[in-house]
Amino acid sequence: MKVFCGRANPTTGSVEWLEEDEHYDYHQEIARSSYADMLHDKDRNIKYYQGIRAAVSRVKDRGQKALVLDIGTGTGLLSMMAVTAGADFCYAIEVFKPMADAAVKIVEKNGFTDKIKIINKHSTEVTIGPDGDMPCRANILITELFDTELIGEGALPSYEHAHRHLVQENCEAVPHRATVYAQLVESRRMWSWNKLFPVRVQTSCGEQVIVPPLELERCPGAPSVYDIQLNQVSPTDFTALSDVMPMFSVDFSKQVSSSAACHSRQFEPLASGRAQVVLSWWDIEMDPEGKIKCTMAPFWAHSDPEDLQWRDHWMQCVYFLPQEEPIVQGSSLCLVAHHDDYCVWYSLQKTSPEKNGRVYPSRPVCDCQAHLLWNRPRFGEINDQDRTDQYVQALRTVLKPASVCLCVSDGSLLSLLAHHLGAEQVFTVENSAASHRLMRKIFKANHLEDKINIIEKRPELVTSADLKGKKVSLLLGEPFFTTSLLPWHNLYFWYVRTAVDQQLGPGAVVMPQAASLHAVVVEFRDLWRIRSPCGDCEGFDVHIMDDMIKRALDFRESKEAEPHPLWEYPCRRLSEPQQIMTFDFRHPVPLHPVRAEGSIELRRPGRSHGAVLWMEYHLTPDSTISTGLLESAEDKEDCCWNPHCKQAVYFFTSPDCRAPRGGPRTVSYTVEFHPRTGDVTMDFTLSDTRKDGC
């Protein structure tokens, strides 16, 4: 059956109604899931298996039947482990129906149908009794309900309900316990992901400084955690102000509460500095003695850094204090971890909340608009002074004293740069109410509320009246739009340029004047795992899961690229970067599709996991901003990526062939830009010029 789905097109700006398969959202969910990553997490799987064996043994040693409740079973892997370890029966709960259906098949394929019952419900809907889903309460509770923040997927409410209604008192639990750790640091780089720094502009009249509004400086920030691969942050990017501290633990074998709580830890700062950021992670102990442990600790806090397990489904957390605070070495302080049922946040206090009665019951909420409009990488991008200087240099070459500028980018400071560099009149288009309010605050803080005109409407709807009858002599864009996910989505700027063509004066300049799409073939150190079939997992056949993911990918996603912040995912170049296609913003969007075909030669040995694509914006003939590869020296294999942008990764379906040992190999590509829809479609094929194949 087909259904009509509304979709906001990020490139054209229009709302489209598309005919989709009724299961399209299921396909998309499966294709972009972390199931493969979890199945490849050998450390996780082994530790769970060891913990399950130990729990079943403890129950059997008491002369009891081992009855298992497995919440969030996924593939059924943990339930199959439990039966193999000697469990008498498992009730495996999975709320996502396609996953539950796959678990039924996987359990049957592995011969456990008589010992495992898949229940396609949320755990809070499971019933107990003669006519219920389970005849009696379980005495072993197995779960994998955790995210990078530990509790962000609703682990606490699920455990709370399970203990009250589904498991016996003092049941065995795998994992048995979780502990959250924190370390207070000072980091200009990470703090730049949370606050707007003063921006310096060199003009003919001297240095001008764009200052952030007071509301932004006082704002406690966004309530959400920033989860990243902390192992890719250089130790030189932060200064530790405290040791690693255990903040709180949760015993999953006893009644769990999802009520809001706070936990304090007194410490003496290791150094004087500015307390800004809390780095956090957790570990889980699979047994009561804590001998079987799975940790998310980054390398500098890991007991065995050489044996670090890479994983993407669990990373590390970056939290930002409501305000940076000066601290003095040796002067005792309290770091406080607060949490409700789904969220964790931190504060710094002079004494513990228990002593001074100060408790923060509610999570911080942004009241300055900036954290609603700009994500963490966007803050970092705006705070990148070198990037700003590049725009300033380019603007100097195109601005004239009588310039009338129209700026088109969401929440951009380009309009302030244009004003400070001498534009006669500046208009900026702010599409949303949030960006409109934020930019008004920024203009007011810099005494420019009467100097820069804000047009609050969709950019393509700008009229002559909005421009006060003036013709635009300089159309500006970074371009950046909050709706963009893939690099080419910012081609929305081109569509806006086309829509406002009648508002451009004779000889009007467009900056950037053009964009180009680039690609390079890479070998990932680890990221390939998220799209790699598992086949066999700890002795269990999960090919059905592999096939399910492949079908979901083949539905559409296998021919699409997906966004990843590649500074977090090391890779090496197997080819030289290659320009694939150009887009000339000096002219309107063409009426007919633009197609590029060619090949990329692989010059280095390695596994070709995929092609990485990014956009470069040519501000002027002599100035280019790259959203992707930053260094392309011929002898440099390791890729250095723009840390503020997500790049697009097109994973190859067969990355197992090596190149170019024994002969040259190439990757053939076809890329097509469809002006009507704004879509960029592509196909990459790994080809071999040798006769003997791989």
Side-chain angles (χ1 to χ4, degrees):
M1 190 174 93
K2 299 288 186 180
V3 294
F4 280 103
C5 299
R7 183 188 78 162
N9 188 309
T11 310
T12 65
S14 62
V15 176
E16 302 168 342
W17 287 93
L18 305 175
E19 189 179 55
E20 298 281 14
D21 183 277
E22 63 176 325
H23 299 304
Y24 169 67
D25 53 346
Y26 284 175
H27 288 299
Q28 199 171 45
E29 178 76 15
I30 295 163
R32 294 292 183 250
S33 70
S34 296
Y35 291 120
D37 180 32
M38 288 187 283
L39 293 175
H40 280 293
D41 189 343
K42 194 164 185 64
D43 178 61
R44 161 194 178 269
N45 299 337
I46 289 174
K47 301 294 175 54
Y48 260 101
Y49 211 166
Q50 291 173 345
I52 289 168
R53 285 195 191 101
V56 171
S57 293
R58 288 193 297 274
V59 170
K60 293 286 189 178
D61 289 346
R62 295 196 291 265
Q64 301 173 354
K65 282 189 172 183
L67 302 177
V68 174
L69 173 63
D70 175 8
I71 300 179
T73 194
T75 60
L77 176 66
L78 302 184
S79 286
M80 293 189 293
M81 288 179 176
V83 171
T84 304
D88 293 277
F89 203 85
C90 291
Y91 300 92
I93 300 170
E94 177 54 54
V95 69
F96 185 42
K97 189 176 187 313
M99 197 66 249
D101 293 343
V104 169
K105 295 175 183 175
I106 292 170
V107 166
E108 181 180 2
K109 174 83 172 176
N110 287 274
F112 295 111
T113 305
D114 60 331
K115 292 290 186 87
I116 299 174
K117 177 184 179 182
I118 305 296
I119 303 171
N120 181 209
K121 287 185 176 181
H122 194 284
S123 63
T124 57
E125 299 171 345
V126 171
T127 57
I128 301 286
D131 299 321
D133 300 303
M134 300 168 58
C136 61
R137 290 177 177 241
N139 56 11
I140 300 177
L141 176 58
I142 300 173
T143 63
E144 208 280 53
L145 301 171
F146 314 118
D147 66 348
T148 294
E149 199 173 17
L150 184 69
I151 66 172
E153 290 184 358
L156 295 182
S158 295
Y159 271 110
E160 185 175 44
H161 177 271
H163 277 287
R164 285 179 179 169
H165 302 286
L166 303 178
V167 297
Q168 298 174 16
E169 189 175 357
N170 296 319
C171 70
E172 299 290 342
V174 182
H176 180 84
R177 183 188 300 106
T179 302
V180 173
Y181 298 87
Q183 185 173 30
L184 185 68
V185 305
E186 176 179 358
S187 172
R188 178 177 174 82
R189 179 186 178 188
M190 287 187 262
W191 195 239
S192 77
W193 300 337
N194 183 59
K195 295 289 185 181
L196 178 61
F197 294 169
V199 178
R200 304 185 182 282
V201 186
Q202 300 297 331
T203 74
S204 58
C205 300
E207 183 180 82
Q208 299 289 331
V209 181
I210 301 170
V211 298
L214 196 58
E215 299 99 308
L216 204 158
E217 291 188 336
R218 291 175 175 171
C219 179
S224 58
V225 62
Y226 188 26
D227 52 340
I228 65 170
Q229 293 283 357
L230 203 51
N231 288 309
Q232 297 309 312
V233 175
S234 170
T236 61
D237 281 333
F238 64 90
T239 301
L241 299 178
S242 78
D243 291 318
V244 175
M245 299 177 282
M247 295 305 300
F248 64 92
S249 295
V250 183
D251 186 337
F252 297 125
S253 69
K254 299 176 181 177
Q255 181 62 56
V256 172
S257 173
S258 63
S259 300
C262 69
H263 312 267
S264 64
R265 180 69 62 173
Q266 192 170 18
F267 72 101
E268 288 193 3
L270 299 176
S272 298
R274 304 193 70 81
Q276 298 168 326
V277 173
V278 175
L279 308 180
S280 182
W281 56 89
W282 48 263
D283 63 32
I284 45 178
E285 296 170 355
M286 300 298 183
D287 61 324
E289 297 78 25
K291 294 179 180 178
I292 309 168
K293 184 181 290 188
C294 184
T295 181
M296 306 307 119
F299 68 87
W300 67 85
H302 201 282
S303 59
D304 186 6
E306 298 300 318
D307 194 33
L308 205 64
Q309 169 73 51
W310 183 88
R311 47 174 69 93
D312 205 45
H313 58 106
W314 296 329
M315 295 185 278
Q316 294 81 34
C317 302
V318 176
Y319 295 96
F320 303 94
L321 293 178
Q323 300 295 328
E324 65 175 357
E325 298 185 33
I327 63 173
V328 179
Q329 183 178 6
S331 182
S332 184
L333 292 168
C334 276
L335 183 64
V336 186
H338 311 259
H339 74 78
D340 53 22
D341 49 351
Y342 283 91
C343 186
V344 178
W345 63 98
Y346 286 85
S347 66
L348 194 61
Q349 300 181 22
K350 296 196 180 302
T351 57
S352 69
E354 293 84 358
K355 290 183 179 179
N356 63 21
R358 291 177 64 198
V359 178
Y360 297 86
S362 59
R363 68 182 72 171
V365 176
C366 170
D367 54 18
C368 75
Q369 308 299 318
H371 301 90
L372 305 178
L373 182 66
W374 298 332
N375 60 20
R376 304 300 189 189
R378 178 60 173 166
F379 265 100
E381 186 172 59
I382 290 175
N383 285 323
D384 187 337
Q385 186 66 53
D386 290 339
R387 179 179 180 273
T388 297
D389 291 344
Q390 199 167 348
Y391 278 96
V392 169
Q393 295 273 355
L395 273 169
R396 281 203 190 100
T397 67
V398 295
L399 268 176
K400 296 180 174 57
S403 289
V404 175
C405 298
L406 175 62
C407 301
V408 181
S409 280
D410 290 345
S412 173
L413 302 186
L414 273 184
S415 57
L416 290 91
L417 302 185
H419 170 79
H420 284 311
L421 291 170
E424 181 180 277
Q425 195 156 11
V426 181
F427 298 88
T428 185
V429 184
E430 296 300 338
N431 184 353
S432 69
S435 63
H436 183 267
R437 287 194 292 269
L438 173 62
M439 296 313 294
R440 280 219 176 279
K441 291 176 182 177
I442 293 174
F443 294 161
K444 185 175 181 181
N446 290 276
H447 311 293
L448 298 176
E449 61 267 42
D450 298 327
K451 307 289 186 181
I452 301 175
N453 303 277
I454 302 179
I455 302 171
E456 189 180 359
K457 59 167 53 175
R458 293 195 60 82
E460 64 268 31
L461 302 179
V462 170
T463 64
S464 178
D466 296 320
L467 299 169
K468 301 180 180 180
K470 299 281 184 72
K471 287 291 185 182
V472 174
S473 57
L474 178 58
L475 179 64
L476 288 176
E478 298 187 29
F480 170 85
F481 302 99
T482 55
T483 52
S484 298
L485 296 175
L486 292 164
W488 44 87
H489 286 167
N490 283 321
L491 287 176
Y492 176 49
F493 176 76
W494 201 9
Y495 286 82
V496 172
R497 178 260 176 268
T498 303
V500 301
D501 191 57
Q502 297 301 311
Q503 312 306 329
L504 303 181
V509 174
V510 180
M511 191 186 103
Q513 64 178 24
S516 51
L517 178 65
H518 296 251
V520 67
V521 178
V522 302
E523 176 185 53
F524 287 109
R525 184 194 300 171
D526 298 296
L527 189 62
W528 60 270
R529 300 173 195 273
I530 70 171
R531 292 290 168 262
S532 178
C534 186
D536 178 278
C537 185
E538 302 309 316
F540 302 100
D541 186 344
V542 293
H543 279 92
I544 290 169
M545 185 67 211
D546 294 336
D547 295 341
M548 179 181 173
I549 293 174
K550 185 178 184 305
R551 284 195 302 272
L553 287 167
D554 288 346
F555 183 78
R556 179 173 299 164
E557 270 78 2
S558 65
K559 297 298 183 185
E560 294 182 348
E562 53 190 82
H564 291 282
L566 290 187
W567 73 269
E568 296 183 52
Y569 304 101
C571 59
R572 50 186 291 269
R573 295 188 290 125
L574 301 185
S575 75
E576 296 306 313
Q578 189 160 317
Q579 182 172 300
I580 303 294
M581 185 178 286
T582 59
F583 311 91
D584 191 345
F585 297 159
R586 294 170 297 182
H587 304 286
V589 176
L591 299 176
H592 303 292
V594 179
R595 184 183 179 93
E597 295 180 344
S599 62
I600 303 173
E601 183 181 342
L602 306 184
R603 297 186 177 183
R604 298 179 180 87
R607 294 193 181 276
S608 307
H609 290 130
V612 177
L613 300 101
W614 68 94
M615 298 289 282
E616 295 190 358
Y617 293 102
H618 309 288
L619 307 183
T620 66
D622 301 318
S623 180
T624 296
I625 294 276
S626 172
T627 67
L629 203 60
L630 296 183
E631 296 179 19
S632 57
E634 195 163 330
D635 60 343
K636 187 174 177 61
E637 291 187 17
D638 293 336
C639 296
C640 179
W641 301 101
N642 185 323
H644 312 309
C645 304
K646 288 185 177 181
Q647 293 74 37
V649 180
Y650 184 102
F651 285 101
F652 299 155
T653 53
S654 300
D656 297 325
C657 296
R658 291 185 175 271
R661 295 177 188 135
R665 293 177 58 77
T666 61
V667 173
S668 301
Y669 64 82
T670 302
V671 177
E672 191 162 2
F673 169 64
H674 305 269
R676 188 181 64 81
T677 61
D679 292 334
V680 175
T681 57
M682 61 192 66
D683 185 31
F684 288 83
T685 306
L686 193 64
S687 58
D688 197 340
T689 59
R690 297 171 295 174
K691 295 180 180 179
D692 59 344
C694 295

